[in-house]
Amino acid sequence: MTIAYEAHGDGPAVLLVHEGVADRRMWRGQVPVLARDHRVVAVDLRGFGETPHASGPFSHVDDLREVLDETGIDRATVVGGSLGAKVALELALTHPERVEGLVLCPPVLPGWEWSERVRRGWQEGQEAFEAGDLDRATEVDVQLWVVGPRRDPDAVDAELRDLVRTMQRHALELPEPDPPPEPEPDPTVRLADVGVPTLVVVGDEDVEDFLAMAAAVAAGIPGARKVVIEGAAHVVALEKPQEFNGALLAFLADPAAYTSTE
């Protein structure tokens, strides 16, 4: 099995899929809490944490399905942040028999028209990466996604910034084949086709793109609910674990409340 993961506890299954500026370490505030009553599995996607880059075309969705197979899990509630949320949503649409529920924190919509602020940040980070300045490339991501567009760095816990900096720097340092592998094309996503209970979580200090996508996803998935967590930017589960865990555990305790009654 190529995908690195850790598994803890017993009970109903929860699969944790990290953001694109993190790896499975971002769930440090959730794994111990969930493992009390659940079988919790946290993965490193390809090119993150302990999982190497793919050597050719690959599918994150297929990777998650294989992790579920290897751990003997038929169905799981899938909790995904950003990139992880995008993969989780695709898994629910392509393999609905494997997904018990969705927690998208925050969600990503394929084909989204990104704001100038985000596109500028990505360009600045890419230019620094191509110039070999990994410190600068990492710092651009920390500023955009951990600090957020409206806060000063000192407003965010220094240890939190250091952890994301460590995870992202590691991802940038992982050797890639030449040419870099490409994931499979994004599938067409029809939110109305999502047939499982869904919780959408977003931090109020995130960039406007994710606040807007959270609203669109919550409105588009039948019965979905949205929770906005104050004082958190993009990595909401890591920055505000107590508040996030409260919303997550409420969802796991009564998923039927997050489905359409029509």
Side-chain angles (χ1 to χ4, degrees), residues 91-112:
L91 179 67
L93 289 167
T94 55
H95 298 285
E97 74 284 357
R98 308 304 300 269
V99 178
E100 194 75 36
L102 283 174
V103 180
L104 309 174
C105 53
V108 172
L109 281 174
W112 183 260

Side-chain angles (χ1 to χ4, degrees), residues 1 27 29 34 45 63 67 73 97 114 125 146 169 171 182 233 250 262:
M1 186 72 192
W27 304 112
L34 291 171
L45 296 174
D63 289 340
V67 169
I73 295 172
E97 74 284 357
W114 294 97
V146 182
R169 174 64 184 252
E182 291 289 339
E262 296 181 0

Side-chain angles (χ1 to χ4, degrees), residues 36 55 80 83 86 105 115 133 145 149 163 219 222 228:
R36 297 169 188 163
S55 58
L83 169 62
K86 176 175 172 288
C105 53
S115 68
D133 190 349
W145 303 118
L163 176 58
V228 179

Side-chain angles (χ1 to χ4, degrees), residues 149-165:
R150 294 173 293 278
R151 299 189 292 187
D152 292 327
D154 290 343
V156 181
D157 181 73
E159 194 271 341
L160 168 65
R161 285 182 280 135
D162 285 343
L163 176 58
V164 176
R165 188 178 290 117

